[in-house]
């Protein structure tokens, strides 16, 4: 058995915390200052964390390496199993003409760029985020807006700003699953808490988008549809994450918002129209009803498969025959109080896992679109190849997270941060924001800082689930400033090298939204404490 020591370096909590911060600081410096690619930065930070765990925190070598192995395993399953299959389903649609039909369906609705910014960047972008993530929503929506006549820089800004509210539940809730893995908190509680934070941002984003496109006139003339889109997305996001399936949060929210906006546009139009290009262009011909149905088929399949998996009889059967729980070999870790540390038990849900349900949805899509099996297999191989460096990054970051968590380095950092007392509730969202801004991934940020948030929360008397969810919900607001997303947006609109310009223009929006959600989280820790799920220990 290995018992964690909160202050192993010179018997000083401060010195121990400074040493424990070295792997994270190294990761950020390599990424942000020396522009080292994320996979190599992650591997370097993991190596340093292993050395510190053995030499500084006196964790046995076998247990240290076992902890890294457990993190790598969790990075592969369920996180990467979700990401690979989600992107595969999306790439299957791209391999057919139906993806273009779906885009044409949206663009045929209106000539007004303000309306298109809501439909394309906010709604369709959220749908892409729910499946593909990792820059795909920004790249595709920016290219679509550019083709519709929006100026390149503005198209990039609109797409980056829109890629906020859906991120916490992106890639079929991969960031939430990462939080579960490193904190040991219940999935439902974390999903519910995030679903009581991000909707407040979602409700504002469409208004901000039309302001970006057309200033105050845009808000004055299109606020009805912007408000409706934001409120519908927010309500469905809350309901789905709290009462249905967290994996489908963004899918349901995006589809519902698209339907409501399309229905509203049948009876309402803005007073003036901000058309495509300087002279305007004829509207895109709307596809037939059959073409529209086929273009949305993959999303309908996913909703159906996940809905069936939630039926009590099927859910119970999948839980009985499709779940294997085991203690990760070589680990026996307790904290300073002698209690077992989370992260040592693995739940291998091979049948009911989100990634497995996505894989089944992909197979159904292959049959529905009559895609040749050889093409489907090549597409899967291309997906894995495309994500090869992401696979290295995710496994390295999860390995780093598990080594730091199980050795006690994260506990040391959290205990030190707890010295801020009640002020930690203000620091918590900032930590998540920095994590995503540097790594470009809410999943990676949650893996790095999830346990730190829980440790500091417990020491300060704050609800652990609130602080853990805050890391994710506030973190998404840093994504528009991440180097990866800025590069993707710049390339999508043909402005390679304009990352610095985009960064300067988006910083005020990112910080403003961060301030708003920080106020919300502070209120949820006090006067709005009733919003925190009550089943979480430590509430």
């Amino acid at each position: 058995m290995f018992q964690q020591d909160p202050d192993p370096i010179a018997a000083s909590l401060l010195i121990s915390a400074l040493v424990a911060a070295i792997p994270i600081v190294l990761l950020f410096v390599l990424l942000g200052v020396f522009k080292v690619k994320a996979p190599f930065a992650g591997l370097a930070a993991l190596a340093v964390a292993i050395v510190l765990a053995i030499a500084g925190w006196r964790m046995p070598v076998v247990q240290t390496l076992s902890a890294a192995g457990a993190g790598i395993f969790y990075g592969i399953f369920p996180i990467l199993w979700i990401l690979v299959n989600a992107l595969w389903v999306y790439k299957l649609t791209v391999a057919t003409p139906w993806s273009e039909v779906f885009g044409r369906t949206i663009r045929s609705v209106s000539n007004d760029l303000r309306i298109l910014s809501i439909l394309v960047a906010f709604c369709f972008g959220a749908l892409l985020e729910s499946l593909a993530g990792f820059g795909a929503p920004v790249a595709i929506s920016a290219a679509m807006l550019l083709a519709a006549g929006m100026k390149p820089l503005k198209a990039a800004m609109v797409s980056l700003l829109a890629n906020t509210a859906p991120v916490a539940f992106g890639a079929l809730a991969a960031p939430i699953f990462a939080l579960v893995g490193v904190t040991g908190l219940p999935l439902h509680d974390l999903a519910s808490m995030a679903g009581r934070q991000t909707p407040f941002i979602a409700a504002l984003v469409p208004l901000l988008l039309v302001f970006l496109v057309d200033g105050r006139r845009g808000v004055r003339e299109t606020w009805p549809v912007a408000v409706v889109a934001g409120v519908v997305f927010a309500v469905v996001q809350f309901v789905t994450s709290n009462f249905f399936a967290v994996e489908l949060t963004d899918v349901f929210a995006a589809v519902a918002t698209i339907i409501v906006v399309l229905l509203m546009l049948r009876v309402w139009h803005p007073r003036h129209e901000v058309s495509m290009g300087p002279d305007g262009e004829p509207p895109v011909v709307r596809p037939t009803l059959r073409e529209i149905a086929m273009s949305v088929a993959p999303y309908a399949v996913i909703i159906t498969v996940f809905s069936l998996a939630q039926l009590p009889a099927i859910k119970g059967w999948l839980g009985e025959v499709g779940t294997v729980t085991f203690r990760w070999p070589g680990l026996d870790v307790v904290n300073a109080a002698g209690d077992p540390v989370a992260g040592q038990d693995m739940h291998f849900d091979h049948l009911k896992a989100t990634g497995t349900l996505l894989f089944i949805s992909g197979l159904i899509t292959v049959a529905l679109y009559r895609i040749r099996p050889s093409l489907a297999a090549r597409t899967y191989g291309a997906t894995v190849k495309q994500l090869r460096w992401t696979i290295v990054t995710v496994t390295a970051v999860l390995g780093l997270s598990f080594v730091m968590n199980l050795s006690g380095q994260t506990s040391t950092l959290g205990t030190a941060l707890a010295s801020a007392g009640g002020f930690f509730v203000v620091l918590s969202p900032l930590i998540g924001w920095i994590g995503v801004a540097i790594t470009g991934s809410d999943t990676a940020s949650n893996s790095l800082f999830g346990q730190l948030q829980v440790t500091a929360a417990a020491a300060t008397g704050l609800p652990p689930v609130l602080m853990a969810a805050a890391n994710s919900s506030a973190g998404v607001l840093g994504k528009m400033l991440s180097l990866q997303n800025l590069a993707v947006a710049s390339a999508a609109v043909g402005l390679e090298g304009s990352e610095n310009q985009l960064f300067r223009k988006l910083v005020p929006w990112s910080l403003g939204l961060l301030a708003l959600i920080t106020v919300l989280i502070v209120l949820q820790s006090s006067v709005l404490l009733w919003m925190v799920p009550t089943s979480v220990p430590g509430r």
Side-chain angles (χ1 to χ4, degrees), residues 310-331:
Q310 296 301 313
L311 295 177
I314 298 178
K315 187 175 183 179
W317 179 80
L318 290 174
E320 289 177 8
V321 303
T323 301
V324 177
T325 300
F326 61 96
R327 171 62 66 98
W328 187 261
L331 289 179

Side-chain angles (χ1 to χ4, degrees), residues 260-335:
V260 171
V261 169
L262 293 180
L263 291 175
M264 183 175 178
L265 290 176
R266 288 180 173 271
V267 297
W268 176 91
H269 293 282
R271 181 180 304 175
H272 302 99
E273 186 178 86
V274 177
S275 61
M276 304 180 184
D279 300 320
E281 297 178 9
V284 178
V285 177
R286 183 172 299 180
T288 65
L289 187 60
R290 177 187 175 276
E291 289 176 327
I292 294 174
M294 287 296 291
S295 70
V296 303
Y299 308 106
V301 166
I302 289 173
I303 291 173
T304 302
V305 169
F306 277 85
S307 299
L308 290 174
Q310 296 301 313
L311 295 177
I314 298 178
K315 187 175 183 179
W317 179 80
L318 290 174
E320 289 177 8
V321 303
T323 301
V324 177
T325 300
F326 61 96
R327 171 62 66 98
W328 187 261
L331 289 179
D332 186 6
V333 183
V334 296
N335 60 22

Side-chain angles (χ1 to χ4, degrees), residues 11-325:
S12 166
L13 179 62
L14 176 60
I15 296 176
S16 298
L18 291 174
V19 174
I22 291 175
I24 296 174
V25 172
L26 174 66
L27 178 65
F28 285 0
V29 170
L30 290 177
L31 285 172
V33 179
F34 294 102
K35 304 295 189 295
V36 175
K37 292 187 180 298
F40 302 110
L43 290 172
L46 171 59
V48 171
I50 289 174
V51 171
L52 290 179
I54 296 170
W57 273 255
R58 302 180 185 88
M59 190 178 193
V61 175
V62 172
Q63 293 215 48
T64 302
L65 297 179
S66 182
I72 291 170
F73 175 81
Y74 193 83
I76 295 172
F77 191 96
I79 305 300
L80 287 169
W81 183 233
I82 295 172
L83 296 180
V84 170
N85 287 313
L87 186 56
W88 178 55
V89 174
Y90 166 70
K91 289 177 78 69
L92 285 174
T93 66
V94 175
T96 71
W98 299 115
S99 177
E100 189 276 332
V101 173
F102 186 76
R104 186 153 45 92
T105 300
I106 293 178
R107 295 195 304 273
S108 68
V109 173
S110 173
N111 269 346
D112 196 309
L113 290 176
R114 299 167 301 184
I115 303 299
L116 287 178
S117 70
I118 295 175
L119 281 172
V120 173
F122 184 65
C123 299
F124 186 44
L127 200 55
L128 290 173
E129 179 65 35
S130 70
L131 292 181
F134 288 93
V138 171
I140 294 170
S141 60
M144 289 174 68
L145 291 174
L146 185 67
M150 190 175 288
K151 293 181 179 179
L153 192 66
K154 187 167 291 186
M157 289 179 62
V158 167
S159 298
L160 286 165
L161 182 57
N163 191 223
T164 48
V167 172
F169 298 100
L172 277 296
I176 304 298
F177 281 101
L179 267 183
V180 173
V182 299
T183 65
L185 294 173
L187 171 64
H188 179 265
D189 291 331
L190 287 171
S192 298
M193 191 68 253
R196 301 174 193 187
Q197 294 170 340
T198 57
F200 290 93
I201 297 299
L204 294 175
V205 168
L207 283 169
L208 300 181
L209 296 181
V210 297
F211 181 82
L212 269 182
V213 174
D214 195 33
R216 294 181 180 178
R217 184 184 67 171
V219 175
R220 186 171 60 251
E221 294 184 354
T222 63
W223 70 263
V225 69
V227 168
V228 167
V231 170
V232 169
F233 192 97
V235 170
V236 176
Q237 196 176 49
F238 163 73
V239 171
T240 308
S241 60
N242 276 261
F243 304 110
F244 189 52
V246 59
E247 299 92 340
L248 294 179
T249 298
D250 283 345
V251 176
F252 275 14
V255 171
T257 307
I258 290 173
I259 292 173
V260 171
V261 169
L262 293 180
L263 291 175
M264 183 175 178
L265 290 176
R266 288 180 173 271
V267 297
W268 176 91
H269 293 282
R271 181 180 304 175
H272 302 99
E273 186 178 86
V274 177
S275 61
M276 304 180 184
D279 300 320
E281 297 178 9
V284 178
V285 177
R286 183 172 299 180
T288 65
L289 187 60
R290 177 187 175 276
E291 289 176 327
I292 294 174
M294 287 296 291
S295 70
V296 303
Y299 308 106
V301 166
I302 289 173
I303 291 173
T304 302
V305 169
F306 277 85
S307 299
L308 290 174
Q310 296 301 313
L311 295 177
I314 298 178
K315 187 175 183 179
W317 179 80
L318 290 174
E320 289 177 8
V321 303
T323 301
V324 177
T325 300

